[in-house]
Amino acid sequence: MRFTTRDTLFDRLAARPLFMCGFRPFFLATAGYAVILLSIWLGFLAWGLGVPAVSGGPTVWHAYELMFGFGLAAVAGFLLTAVPEFTGTPALGRRVALGMVLLWAAARLAFWLSGTLGVVGEALAAVLNLGFLGALIALVAPRLWHDPERRHLAFLWGLGAMWLALAGFHADALGGLYPMRWVKVGVGVMMVLIVVALSRISMRIVNDALDAERLRRDGAAARRHGEDDDLPDYRARPPRRNLAIFGVALYTAVEFVLPGSVIAGWVALAAAAAVLNLLNDWHVGRALLSRWALMLYVVYWLMAAGYALSGLALLGVPVAPSAGLHLLTIGAMGVSIFGVLCIAGRTHAGHKLDMRSWVLLAAVGLVAAALARAASGLPGLPIAGLQAVSVAAWVVAYALAARYLGAVFLAPRPDSGTGCEEVLEEASPP
């Protein structure tokens, strides 16, 4: 690409392959920030190293950045690319991708410094973080709303709810209140967004796995003289999905209004049952054992287990409330985001899905991180050791993602594509 003397540094930077599509810088930032954030947290847990001073203390900094820093980076990368595809509208462009990731980075820096700068820092962090999410909503809302079928408005409602959770957090922080309750609201909204997003992605992944299984069975049937082994298509049915969304949203609301109550405990168990009911659509036989389908399937198990443990804790079972919460964040959120980075990130960058062993190693590491962190909340188990193992496993998993996916996001497409479309032809391995 040629540059002229009138091109600004911003233009020259935006012209790099990293900013070809919105998912590229945000997915790279997601993986890299996961490593940075949890490495700092490991230093705090294991050696007492300092973390940024924010309103509410170290745990609030960790939870906020995991949800509204790491989590929203992944959401932004997904929606900046998926919404134009879903609505049949033009890509948002390089300048938007660069501008949004710079705004995200500025919001991260502002929150890190918010405790040091006092009220001014708190206000700046609020403006930049709310401004980032508000800008994302402004970019995707017209496309989602004006789509003739309006099949994807759930993303817009989810983003609006997340903005309210973020606004509530900063209002509490500015008012001198402990703001963790709003992070928990953000967790609930994130679970809803995960269910909505995975319903779209799973239609492609599970049906691809079924196609591969049909080919295998066709060959086996031919050898058995024509035995019929036909398999039905997979469908993510709205009634089950909507029930799961309702259950998660209801628990989030009840826990916010009646924190620590027995009522919230029973609603949490109902939410777990609703998520497990959603899995009835997934029982497609051997095809479910393919790596991508199984990875997405595990997300729902982690989500259901997270709500189940949360409910049991509220009903008096001797387990720390944080056990269920971390199955949702480290587990369901961590594994689903990793899956989206691997699936949507590679295919929309012009690459076939990566079948190398590092993907399985990282996915298993994230599941192990969630289970170890949840186990640290059970009585009689070594809390510090399990927490350190959990954080270390998470860091290794996302370091692998940053290494192998970063090379994809920083490079031009290897196929004949010129934008954000899926892979157009067989590409050479990276």
Side-chain angles (χ1 to χ4, degrees):
M1 182 176 291
R2 291 187 174 184
F3 296 102
T4 69
T5 56
R6 300 174 64 180
D7 289 318
T8 65
L9 176 61
F10 188 91
D11 293 321
R12 292 172 184 265
L13 188 58
R16 295 181 178 275
L18 178 62
F19 302 104
M20 180 184 297
C21 303
F23 75 88
R24 285 177 173 246
F26 274 109
F27 283 4
L28 181 58
T30 298
Y33 198 55
V35 175
I36 294 170
L37 185 63
L38 270 295
S39 294
I40 294 173
W41 192 240
L42 179 60
F44 172 78
L45 293 176
W47 301 289
L49 300 180
V51 301
V54 302
S55 178
T59 300
V60 169
W61 170 81
H62 166 66
Y64 180 98
E65 286 301 290
L66 186 64
M67 183 55 50
F68 299 122
F70 164 80
L72 283 186
V75 169
F78 177 78
L79 290 180
L80 288 175
T81 304
V83 168
E85 179 185 9
F86 291 159
T87 58
T89 53
L92 286 161
R94 293 171 176 271
R95 295 176 66 87
V96 169
L98 176 55
M100 285 295 290
V101 81
L102 289 176
L103 181 55
W104 173 85
R108 305 280 56 74
L109 179 62
F111 185 69
W112 282 40
L113 296 175
S114 60
T116 303
L117 299 178
V119 175
V120 173
E122 293 280 5
L124 181 62
V127 168
L128 288 176
N129 280 279
L130 289 169
F132 166 72
L133 186 51
L136 178 61
I137 293 172
L139 287 168
V140 302
R143 296 167 184 247
L144 292 169
W145 188 258
H146 294 299
D147 180 33
E149 298 184 6
R150 293 186 176 177
R151 292 183 295 118
H152 307 286
L153 280 179
F155 288 115
L156 182 57
W157 309 141
L159 288 177
M162 190 67 84
W163 192 92
L164 290 176
L166 193 58
F169 178 96
H170 286 288
D172 275 6
L174 285 166
L177 302 175
Y178 189 63
M180 184 64 82
R181 59 179 181 156
W182 293 103
V183 177
K184 294 180 179 179
V185 173
V187 172
V189 176
M190 182 64 73
M191 295 304 109
V192 169
L193 287 172
I194 288 170
V195 171
V196 173
L198 291 196
S199 69
R200 273 71 171 173
I201 297 172
S202 66
M203 290 284 286
R204 170 71 176 273
I205 294 300
V206 178
N207 281 310
D208 283 351
L210 284 168
D211 287 341
E213 180 63 11
R214 289 187 188 102
L215 289 175
R216 188 194 68 81
R217 289 192 178 194
D218 285 346
R223 291 191 294 272
R224 296 195 304 269
H225 309 291
E227 180 182 338
D228 183 13
D229 271 331
D230 191 29
L231 290 170
D233 288 337
Y234 161 78
R235 292 287 181 269
R237 292 176 175 83
R240 287 186 172 129
R241 180 172 70 250
N242 293 338
L243 180 61
I245 290 171
F246 175 77
V248 169
L250 181 61
Y251 167 71
T252 302
V254 172
E255 173 62 15
F256 182 81
V257 176
L258 301 171
S261 68
V262 172
I263 296 175
W266 286 113
V267 176
L269 293 181
V275 174
L276 289 175
N277 177 61
L278 190 153
L279 288 177
N280 285 319
D281 289 335
W282 287 70
H283 298 154
V284 296
R286 182 170 175 171
L288 187 58
L289 299 179
S290 65
R291 69 164 62 186
W292 305 110
L294 185 59
M295 188 185 302
L296 301 183
Y297 182 72
V298 166
V299 169
Y300 288 123
W301 272 104
L302 290 167
M303 189 181 297
Y307 284 114
L309 273 185
S310 296
L312 292 174
L314 290 170
L315 293 174
V317 174
V319 55
S322 62
L325 183 62
H326 282 94
L327 282 178
L328 298 177
T329 53
I330 299 297
M333 184 174 71
V335 176
S336 63
I337 287 175
F338 175 75
V340 170
L341 264 60
C342 290
I343 296 169
R346 277 187 63 92
T347 56
H348 285 277
H351 290 262
K352 293 291 186 180
L353 293 176
D354 197 330
M355 302 305 293
R356 289 175 292 182
S357 59
W358 76 266
V359 175
L360 287 178
L361 179 62
V364 170
L366 289 173
V367 174
L371 295 178
R373 185 60 182 83
S376 71
L378 300 178
L381 295 180
I383 297 175
L386 286 170
Q387 288 181 349
V389 167
S390 173
V391 174
W394 168 285
V395 169
V396 169
Y398 270 104
L400 288 170
R403 160 66 180 84
Y404 289 104
L405 293 174
V408 170
F409 302 147
L410 290 166
R413 292 178 64 111
D415 63 354
S416 58
T418 58
C420 309
E421 64 271 21
E422 292 189 13
V423 59
L424 298 179
E425 61 186 31
E426 191 69 37
S428 300

